[in-house]
Amino acid sequence: MKKITLLLTFLIVLAVSSLQAQHGTIEVTVANIKSENGLILASLFTNEKDFLKTPFQSQKMEAKEGEIVITFERVPVGSYALSVIHDENENFELDSNFFGIPKEGFGFGNDAMGSFGPPSFEKTLVNVGDGKNNYTVVNLKHL
């Protein structure tokens, strides 16, 4: 009976540790923040269909001139599209003018830029691996 209990305990510990190893943390340094107005909104997306519409995970922080670090924890290992906006008026969207040109700061994973509109899902992908050594920098653009 002791051997069975010991074996079951070992298997449970092994299963829990393998589940934990399948998640990571990614720290996103958001740079080139022009003011302390509003919020910085960062979002991860898992697929092209949901890109810029329905995030897998989002974080928000008060804006601070210069740069801040936003941390996503317990993210399953994989690749994610990353977008960041400086929501200065806190309406939770990227405001644009009549021609569709953003009036607030914005950025994407890999500092990707699109020609006329946002970059493709693939260009903005960042990787999350096991452990806590996943870092990326997004430099906000202001048009």
Side-chain angles (χ1 to χ4, degrees):
M1 186 67 166
K2 279 187 173 182
K3 287 182 181 181
I4 292 174
T5 304
L6 185 59
L7 179 62
L8 285 175
T9 302
F10 174 74
L11 291 174
I12 290 171
V13 168
L14 185 64
V16 168
S17 66
S18 76
L19 285 176
Q20 290 174 341
Q22 296 175 357
H23 289 83
T25 298
I26 184 165
E27 292 183 5
V28 179
T29 299
V30 181
N32 198 27
I33 302 170
K34 298 288 187 185
S35 76
E36 295 186 3
N37 298 334
L39 301 169
I40 302 298
L41 308 175
S43 299
L44 297 175
F45 300 87
T46 57
N47 60 65
E48 191 168 359
K49 181 185 83 151
D50 293 332
F51 184 48
L52 302 179
K53 296 176 190 135
T54 308
F56 163 71
Q57 207 177 105
S58 292
Q59 297 286 337
K60 66 181 177 182
M61 287 186 71
E62 289 186 20
K64 181 179 122 183
E65 193 171 336
E67 69 180 40
I68 62 171
V69 176
I70 295 178
T71 304
F72 291 91
E73 296 179 338
R74 299 221 17 93
V75 179
V77 171
S79 296
Y80 299 87
L82 170 64
S83 75
V84 179
I85 67 170
H86 182 180
D87 184 17
E88 293 187 63
N89 60 1
E90 298 185 36
N91 66 351
F92 296 93
E93 60 185 49
L94 180 63
D95 295 329
S96 58
N97 67 18
F98 178 76
F99 299 104
I101 297 171
K103 297 192 302 187
E104 298 175 305
F106 66 95
F108 296 94
N110 305 313
D111 279 337
M113 284 288 287
S115 296
F116 294 97
S120 69
F121 173 81
E122 292 79 19
K123 288 183 179 179
T124 68
L125 291 176
V126 295
N127 294 314
V128 176
D130 289 347
K132 297 188 179 210
N133 297 325
N134 302 287
Y135 304 96
T136 193
V137 177
V138 173
N139 293 290
L140 293 182
K141 280 72 168 179
H142 304 272
L143 303 178

Coordinates of all heavy atoms in Angstrom, one line a residue, residues 33-81:
I33 N 6.7 56.7 -24.6 CA 5.5 57.2 -24.1 C 5.6 58.7 -24.0 O 6.5 59.2 -23.2 CB 5.1 56.5 -22.8 CG1 5.0 55.0 -23.0 CG2 3.8 57.1 -22.3 CD1 4.9 54.2 -21.7
K34 N 4.8 59.5 -24.7 CA 4.9 60.9 -24.7 C 4.3 61.7 -23.6 O 4.7 62.8 -23.3 CB 4.3 61.5 -26.0 CG 5.0 60.9 -27.3 CD 6.4 61.5 -27.5 CE 6.9 61.1 -28.8 NZ 8.3 61.5 -29.0
S35 N 3.4 61.1 -22.8 CA 2.7 61.8 -21.7 C 2.2 60.8 -20.7 O 2.2 59.6 -20.9 CB 1.6 62.7 -22.2 OG 0.4 61.9 -22.5
E36 N 1.8 61.4 -19.5 CA 1.3 60.6 -18.4 C -0.2 60.5 -18.5 O -0.9 60.0 -17.6 CB 1.7 61.2 -17.1 CG 3.2 61.1 -16.9 CD 3.7 61.6 -15.5 OE1 2.8 61.9 -14.7 OE2 4.9 61.5 -15.3
N37 N -0.8 61.0 -19.6 CA -2.3 61.0 -19.7 C -2.8 59.6 -20.0 O -2.2 58.9 -20.9 CB -2.8 61.9 -20.8 CG -2.4 63.4 -20.6 OD1 -2.3 63.8 -19.4 ND2 -2.2 64.2 -21.6
G38 N -3.8 59.2 -19.4 CA -4.5 57.9 -19.8 C -3.8 56.6 -19.4 O -3.1 56.6 -18.4
L39 N -4.0 55.6 -20.2 CA -3.6 54.3 -19.9 C -2.8 53.7 -21.1 O -2.9 54.1 -22.2 CB -4.8 53.3 -19.8 CG -5.8 53.7 -18.7 CD1 -7.1 52.8 -18.9 CD2 -5.2 53.5 -17.3
I40 N -1.9 52.8 -20.8 CA -1.3 52.0 -21.8 C -2.0 50.6 -21.8 O -2.1 49.9 -20.8 CB 0.2 51.8 -21.4 CG1 0.9 53.1 -21.3 CG2 0.9 50.9 -22.5 CD1 1.0 54.0 -22.6
L41 N -2.5 50.2 -23.0 CA -3.2 49.0 -23.1 C -2.4 48.0 -24.0 O -2.0 48.4 -25.1 CB -4.6 49.2 -23.8 CG -5.5 50.3 -23.2 CD1 -6.7 50.5 -24.0 CD2 -5.9 49.9 -21.8
A42 N -2.1 46.8 -23.5 CA -1.3 45.8 -24.2 C -2.2 44.6 -24.4 O -2.8 44.2 -23.4 CB 0.0 45.5 -23.5
S43 N -2.2 44.0 -25.5 CA -3.0 42.8 -25.8 C -2.2 41.7 -26.6 O -1.4 42.1 -27.5 CB -4.2 43.2 -26.6 OG -5.0 44.1 -25.9
L44 N -2.5 40.5 -26.2 CA -1.9 39.3 -27.0 C -3.1 38.7 -27.7 O -4.2 38.5 -27.2 CB -1.4 38.3 -26.0 CG -0.2 38.8 -25.1 CD1 0.2 37.7 -24.1 CD2 1.0 39.1 -26.0
F45 N -2.8 38.3 -29.0 CA -3.8 37.6 -29.8 C -3.3 36.3 -30.3 O -2.1 36.1 -30.6 CB -4.1 38.5 -31.0 CG -4.7 39.8 -30.7 CD1 -3.8 40.9 -30.4 CD2 -6.0 40.1 -30.5 CE1 -4.3 42.1 -30.0 CE2 -6.5 41.3 -30.2 CZ -5.6 42.4 -29.9
T46 N -4.1 35.3 -30.3 CA -3.7 33.9 -30.7 C -3.9 33.6 -32.2 O -3.3 32.6 -32.6 CB -4.5 32.9 -29.9 OG1 -5.9 33.0 -30.1 CG2 -4.2 33.0 -28.4
N47 N -4.7 34.3 -32.9 CA -4.9 34.0 -34.3 C -5.3 35.2 -35.1 O -5.7 36.2 -34.6 CB -6.0 32.9 -34.4 CG -7.4 33.3 -33.9 OD1 -8.0 34.2 -34.4 ND2 -7.8 32.7 -32.8
E48 N -5.2 35.0 -36.4 CA -5.4 36.1 -37.3 C -6.9 36.6 -37.3 O -7.1 37.8 -37.4 CB -5.0 35.7 -38.7 CG -4.9 36.8 -39.7 CD -4.3 36.4 -41.0 OE1 -3.8 35.3 -41.2 OE2 -4.2 37.3 -41.9
K49 N -7.8 35.7 -37.2 CA -9.2 36.1 -37.2 C -9.5 37.1 -36.0 O -10.3 38.0 -36.2 CB -10.1 34.8 -37.1 CG -11.6 35.1 -37.1 CD -12.3 33.8 -36.9 CE -12.4 33.6 -35.4 NZ -13.4 32.9 -34.7
D50 N -8.9 36.9 -34.9 CA -9.2 37.7 -33.7 C -8.3 38.9 -33.6 O -8.5 39.7 -32.7 CB -9.1 36.9 -32.4 CG -10.2 35.8 -32.3 OD1 -11.3 36.0 -32.9 OD2 -10.0 34.8 -31.7
F51 N -7.3 39.0 -34.4 CA -6.2 40.0 -34.3 C -6.9 41.4 -34.3 O -7.6 41.8 -35.2 CB -5.2 39.9 -35.5 CG -4.1 40.8 -35.4 CD1 -3.4 41.0 -34.3 CD2 -3.7 41.5 -36.6 CE1 -2.3 41.9 -34.2 CE2 -2.7 42.4 -36.5 CZ -1.9 42.6 -35.4
L52 N -6.6 42.2 -33.3 CA -7.1 43.5 -33.0 C -8.5 43.6 -32.7 O -9.1 44.7 -32.7 CB -6.7 44.5 -34.2 CG -5.2 44.6 -34.5 CD1 -4.9 45.5 -35.7 CD2 -4.4 45.0 -33.3
K53 N -9.2 42.5 -32.5 CA -10.6 42.4 -32.2 C -10.9 41.8 -30.8 O -11.4 42.4 -29.9 CB -11.4 41.7 -33.3 CG -11.4 42.3 -34.6 CD -12.1 41.4 -35.6 CE -11.8 42.0 -37.0 NZ -11.4 41.0 -38.0
T54 N -10.4 40.6 -30.7 CA -10.7 39.8 -29.4 C -9.4 39.3 -28.9 O -8.9 38.3 -29.3 CB -11.7 38.6 -29.7 OG1 -12.8 39.1 -30.4 CG2 -12.1 38.0 -28.4
P55 N -8.8 40.0 -27.9 CA -7.5 39.5 -27.3 C -7.7 38.3 -26.5 O -8.7 38.0 -25.9 CB -7.1 40.7 -26.5 CG -8.3 41.5 -26.2 CD -9.3 41.2 -27.3
F56 N -6.6 37.5 -26.5 CA -6.5 36.3 -25.7 C -6.2 36.8 -24.2 O -6.8 36.2 -23.3 CB -5.3 35.4 -26.1 CG -4.9 34.4 -25.1 CD1 -5.6 33.3 -24.8 CD2 -3.6 34.6 -24.5 CE1 -5.2 32.4 -23.9 CE2 -3.2 33.6 -23.6 CZ -4.0 32.6 -23.2
Q57 N -5.4 37.8 -24.1 CA -5.1 38.3 -22.8 C -4.7 39.8 -22.9 O -4.1 40.2 -23.9 CB -3.9 37.6 -22.2 CG -3.8 37.6 -20.7 CD -2.7 36.7 -20.1 OE1 -1.7 37.3 -19.7 NE2 -2.8 35.4 -20.2
S58 N -5.2 40.6 -22.0 CA -4.9 42.1 -22.0 C -4.4 42.6 -20.7 O -4.8 42.0 -19.6 CB -6.1 42.9 -22.4 OG -6.5 42.6 -23.7
Q59 N -3.6 43.6 -20.7 CA -3.2 44.3 -19.5 C -3.3 45.8 -19.7 O -3.2 46.3 -20.8 CB -1.7 44.0 -19.2 CG -1.4 42.5 -19.0 CD -1.8 42.1 -17.6 OE1 -1.9 42.8 -16.7 NE2 -2.0 40.8 -17.5
K60 N -3.5 46.5 -18.6 CA -3.6 48.0 -18.7 C -2.8 48.5 -17.5 O -2.7 47.9 -16.4 CB -5.0 48.5 -18.7 CG -5.8 48.3 -17.4 CD -7.2 48.8 -17.5 CE -7.9 48.5 -16.2 NZ -9.3 48.9 -16.2
M61 N -2.1 49.6 -17.8 CA -1.3 50.3 -16.7 C -1.5 51.8 -16.9 O -1.7 52.3 -18.1 CB 0.1 50.0 -16.8 CG 0.5 48.6 -16.3 SD 2.3 48.3 -16.3 CE 2.7 49.4 -14.9
E62 N -1.4 52.6 -15.9 CA -1.4 54.0 -16.0 C -0.2 54.4 -16.8 O 0.9 53.9 -16.7 CB -1.4 54.7 -14.7 CG -2.7 54.6 -13.9 CD -2.7 55.4 -12.6 OE1 -1.9 56.3 -12.5 OE2 -3.5 55.0 -11.8
A63 N -0.4 55.4 -17.7 CA 0.7 55.9 -18.6 C 1.7 56.6 -17.7 O 1.4 57.3 -16.7 CB 0.2 56.8 -19.7
K64 N 3.0 56.5 -18.1 CA 4.1 57.3 -17.5 C 5.0 57.7 -18.6 O 5.4 56.9 -19.4 CB 4.8 56.3 -16.5 CG 5.9 57.0 -15.7 CD 6.5 56.0 -14.8 CE 8.0 55.8 -15.1 NZ 8.7 54.9 -14.3
E65 N 5.4 59.0 -18.6 CA 6.2 59.4 -19.7 C 7.5 58.7 -19.7 O 8.1 58.4 -18.6 CB 6.5 60.9 -19.5 CG 7.2 61.6 -20.7 CD 7.2 63.1 -20.5 OE1 6.4 63.7 -19.8 OE2 8.1 63.7 -21.2
G66 N 8.0 58.3 -20.9 CA 9.2 57.5 -21.0 C 8.9 56.1 -21.3 O 8.5 55.7 -22.5
E67 N 9.0 55.2 -20.3 CA 8.7 53.8 -20.6 C 8.2 53.1 -19.3 O 8.4 53.5 -18.2 CB 9.9 53.0 -21.1 CG 11.1 52.8 -20.2 CD 12.2 52.1 -20.8 OE1 12.6 52.3 -22.0 OE2 12.8 51.3 -20.1
I68 N 7.5 52.0 -19.6 CA 6.9 51.2 -18.5 C 7.1 49.7 -18.9 O 7.4 49.4 -20.1 CB 5.4 51.4 -18.2 CG1 4.6 51.1 -19.4 CG2 5.2 52.8 -17.7 CD1 3.1 51.2 -19.1
V69 N 7.0 48.8 -18.0 CA 7.0 47.4 -18.3 C 5.7 46.7 -17.9 O 5.2 46.9 -16.8 CB 8.2 46.7 -17.5 CG1 8.1 45.2 -17.7 CG2 9.5 47.3 -17.9
I70 N 5.1 46.0 -18.8 CA 3.8 45.3 -18.6 C 4.2 43.8 -18.7 O 4.8 43.4 -19.6 CB 2.8 45.7 -19.7 CG1 2.4 47.2 -19.6 CG2 1.6 44.8 -19.6 CD1 1.4 47.6 -20.6
T71 N 3.7 43.1 -17.7 CA 4.0 41.7 -17.6 C 2.7 40.8 -17.8 O 1.7 41.0 -17.2 CB 4.6 41.3 -16.2 OG1 5.7 42.2 -16.0 CG2 5.0 39.9 -16.1
F72 N 2.8 39.9 -18.7 CA 1.8 38.9 -18.9 C 2.3 37.6 -18.2 O 3.4 37.1 -18.6 CB 1.6 38.6 -20.4 CG 0.9 39.7 -21.1 CD1 1.7 40.7 -21.7 CD2 -0.5 39.8 -21.2 CE1 1.1 41.7 -22.4 CE2 -1.1 40.9 -21.9 CZ -0.3 41.8 -22.5
E73 N 1.6 37.0 -17.3 CA 2.0 35.8 -16.6 C 1.1 34.6 -17.0 O 0.0 34.8 -17.4 CB 1.9 36.1 -15.1 CG 2.9 37.1 -14.6 CD 2.8 37.4 -13.1 OE1 1.8 37.1 -12.5 OE2 3.8 37.9 -12.6
R74 N 1.7 33.4 -16.8 CA 1.0 32.2 -17.0 C 0.4 32.1 -18.4 O -0.7 31.7 -18.7 CB -0.1 31.9 -16.0 CG 0.5 31.8 -14.6 CD -0.1 30.8 -13.7 NE -0.8 29.7 -14.2 CZ -0.3 28.5 -14.5 NH1 1.0 28.2 -14.4 NH2 -1.1 27.5 -14.9
V75 N 1.2 32.5 -19.4 CA 0.8 32.5 -20.8 C 1.3 31.1 -21.4 O 2.4 30.8 -21.2 CB 1.5 33.6 -21.6 CG1 1.1 33.5 -23.1 CG2 1.1 35.0 -21.0
P76 N 0.4 30.4 -22.0 CA 0.8 29.1 -22.6 C 1.9 29.3 -23.6 O 1.9 30.3 -24.3 CB -0.5 28.6 -23.2 CG -1.6 29.2 -22.5 CD -1.1 30.6 -22.1
V77 N 2.9 28.4 -23.6 CA 4.0 28.5 -24.5 C 3.5 28.6 -25.9 O 2.6 27.8 -26.3 CB 4.9 27.2 -24.3 CG1 6.0 27.2 -25.4 CG2 5.6 27.3 -23.0
G78 N 4.0 29.5 -26.7 CA 3.6 29.6 -28.1 C 3.9 31.0 -28.7 O 4.7 31.8 -28.1
S79 N 3.3 31.3 -29.8 CA 3.5 32.6 -30.5 C 2.2 33.4 -30.4 O 1.2 32.9 -30.6 CB 3.9 32.5 -31.9 OG 5.2 31.8 -32.0
Y80 N 2.4 34.7 -30.1 CA 1.2 35.6 -30.0 C 1.5 36.9 -30.7 O 2.6 37.5 -30.6 CB 1.0 35.9 -28.5 CG 0.7 34.7 -27.7 CD1 1.7 33.9 -27.1 CD2 -0.6 34.3 -27.5 CE1 1.4 32.8 -26.4 CE2 -0.9 33.1 -26.8 CZ 0.1 32.4 -26.3 OH -0.1 31.2 -25.6
A81 N 0.5 37.5 -31.3 CA 0.6 38.8 -31.9 C 0.4 39.8 -30.7 O -0.4 39.5 -29.8 CB -0.5 39.0 -32.9

